[in-house]
Amino acid sequence: MSPAELAQALRAMQEWPLVHAIGGNAYAFPLLDAAHILFQAFVVGSIAALDLRLLGYALMQRPVTELVRHILPWTWAAFAGAAVTGMVLFVLNVTTFVDNRSFLIKMLLMLLAGANMLAFHKGAYRTIGEWDLGSPPPQAARLAGALSLALWLGVVFFGRYLWYPWSNRVGF
Amino acid sequence: MRSLYSGRCPRYFCTWQNGVGLPRQLENGGGSGKATSSCEWTTLPPTRYSAWVYYDSPELQDFVRWLAATTPSIWLRAVSSSVPVLLVSVQTVHLLGMSVVIAANGFVAIGLLGGLRSHDALASLTRKVIPWVGTALALMLVTGIMLIVRWPQRILLSPAFVPKLVLVVCGTALLFYIERATNRQQDGLKVRTPAAMALAILLVLTWTAAVIAGRWIPFA
């Protein structure tokens, strides 16, 4: 696909009835954005709780496996909500977002957070029986927790930053 | 990078033509409701201020004018207008505080609805989240004041600001009440009872409304 074709496709997306329905409604955009923020807050907050457990700073009286079982299904549900509302917000702004460095960085950071989670599940989590309760998590688990905290912090930061167009602005 | 966008903006809020994707109405002191950008869809509904509406009171307007002219306000605006890293950092801390509050209240509600292993798990959860929520709210207060000082007319003159504060206070009070009720020695609140379910729904609704009202501040 050539850049011109891509631009054409994106401009066509801007003519979708959904875009016009939301664009013409004074309440739809703030409500969608509020829903996205609400879901995102739950995702970040619940992941942070697990990360702090992996770092050994909080919830040390609870087994990691129990926390994973109780927290993660809700995290995924909230993530699904954030993803759906996020996609609608993306389509509404598609022509600016594809060109928005903050947006691309945010997506990249989320991919990295996903990769970090996968690496944790394939790595340190396999030996969970040895450190589930009563002993400090191993180095690899603490690293995964710290990385996850930092990456989600970055996701929130760039999620805010993407509203300030800076691709044509000096400085960061 | 050049933007691919050309043609008019079909959206209500448009970062492309409006700079920061927010209405410009309050920036001009409110009132006119006329969009200042070239994007015709950004025209806001006319405001309906009337004498009894608090945000229209001359005292508040004077206070906002005074606050906007203070050195910290001018400094915060000057720093964040050229390179908004500071502004976005403050907003990020505010949002992270909100994440702690929302996740904590969310899991308390889940516990009340019977989503946790036992009643004891809920009682200890409510005890544990209180200090985290308190810290998060304190952080949000500090960052919130910074955001107000930076742009007082946008926040203090917004009709959504006071409802947001009221909802946050209600949500916090509700959480404290649930903590007390689940940790009572006798007659404690039991999970999955009608009272517990009603409280859970009320808690979720209150915080959802608080988030919506908070997001509404710049739009209202």
Side-chain angles (χ1 to χ4, degrees):
Chain A
M1 198 186 248
S2 74
E5 281 169 338
L6 179 67
Q8 187 62 44
L10 293 173
R11 249 178 255 129
M13 270 173 100
Q14 297 268 271
E15 298 304 320
W16 283 2
L18 172 83
V19 174
H20 279 272
I22 293 172
N25 187 329
Y27 302 112
F29 185 91
L31 272 179
L32 259 176
D33 206 20
H36 186 65
I37 286 170
L38 191 67
F39 287 128
Q40 162 270 327
F42 190 89
V43 170
V44 172
S46 57
I47 287 179
L50 269 182
D51 291 341
L52 290 174
R53 173 65 181 84
L54 291 181
L55 282 166
Y57 291 147
L59 297 160
M60 289 304 282
Q61 312 89 317
R62 299 256 170 228
V64 176
T65 45
E66 181 200 303
L67 291 172
V68 164
R69 218 176 38 247
H70 277 117
I71 293 178
L72 283 188
W74 301 101
T75 308
W76 279 113
F79 184 81
V84 169
T85 49
M87 277 182 232
V88 177
L89 290 170
F90 171 73
V91 172
L92 291 179
N93 289 281
V94 63
T95 47
T96 50
F97 278 172
V98 290
D99 195 28
N100 188 323
R101 263 186 265 171
S102 306
F103 178 77
L104 298 177
I105 293 172
K106 178 184 173 180
M107 292 300 117
L108 184 69
L109 290 176
M110 287 216 297
L111 273 179
L112 289 175
N116 177 48
M117 183 186 68
L118 263 180
F120 170 70
H121 275 273
K122 297 278 174 215
Y125 199 67
R126 292 211 164 168
T127 57
I128 185 70
E130 296 158 27
W131 52 278
D132 200 9
L133 185 66
S135 52
Q139 197 80 48
R142 273 182 283 155
L143 182 67
L147 265 178
S148 169
L149 272 182
L151 287 168
W152 283 104
L153 176 81
V155 170
V156 175
F157 180 88
F158 284 102
R160 277 311 303 164
Y161 213 110
L162 60 82
W163 292 103
Y164 301 90
W166 53 291
S167 55
N168 49 7
R169 190 178 280 167
V170 180
F172 152 59
Chain B
M1 271 194 282
R2 263 194 61 232
S3 174
L4 296 166
Y5 186 80
S6 69
R8 73 175 164 75
C9 165
R11 297 176 298 278
Y12 180 69
F13 292 105
C14 168
T15 55
W16 175 238
Q17 274 114 334
N18 293 348
V20 294
L22 293 166
R24 292 295 179 83
Q25 181 191 16
L26 292 168
E27 208 178 338
N28 312 328
S32 80
K34 232 181 87 194
T36 51
S37 79
S38 58
C39 174
E40 57 188 83
W41 286 75
T42 55
T43 308
L44 290 158
T47 51
R48 279 166 294 182
Y49 293 165
S50 61
W52 57 271
V53 176
Y54 71 88
Y55 44 79
D56 204 29
S57 83
E59 290 83 5
L60 183 62
Q61 305 257 347
D62 284 348
F63 174 70
V64 163
R65 217 164 285 134
W66 169 81
L67 188 56
T70 55
T71 311
S73 180
I74 293 167
W75 184 79
L76 281 170
R77 266 199 310 281
V79 168
S80 56
S81 68
S82 54
V83 184
V85 171
L86 179 76
L87 170 66
V88 174
S89 303
V90 171
Q91 290 174 340
T92 302
V93 174
H94 203 70
L95 278 170
L96 290 176
M98 196 189 78
S99 303
V100 172
V101 173
I102 293 299
N105 282 281
F107 280 110
V108 167
I110 289 166
L112 286 169
L113 294 171
L116 294 180
R117 193 165 30 81
S118 64
H119 173 77
D120 291 340
L122 173 67
S124 92
L125 174 72
T126 53
R127 262 202 321 276
K128 270 201 205 85
V129 299
I130 292 282
W132 288 92
V133 170
T135 311
L137 285 173
L139 266 179
M140 294 183 79
L141 183 68
V142 172
T143 49
I145 288 174
M146 286 175 82
L147 292 170
I148 291 173
V149 169
R150 176 181 173 268
W151 204 339
Q153 60 269 48
R154 171 180 280 177
I155 295 162
L156 295 181
L157 297 184
S158 170
F161 178 64
V162 168
K164 177 215 165 153
L165 286 191
V166 171
L167 286 163
V168 168
V169 169
C170 288
T172 310
L174 211 51
L175 182 68
F176 273 85
Y177 172 76
I178 291 167
E179 193 267 328
R180 296 266 314 265
T182 47
N183 284 291
R184 263 200 306 260
Q185 288 304 316
Q186 313 137 347
D187 246 11
L189 183 69
K190 290 278 171 285
V191 299
R192 296 201 81 153
T193 53
M197 290 190 178
L199 276 172
I201 291 165
L202 197 60
L203 191 68
V204 169
L205 286 181
T206 308
W207 283 110
T208 303
V211 171
I212 292 173
R215 191 66 196 103
W216 217 282
I217 287 171
F219 295 121

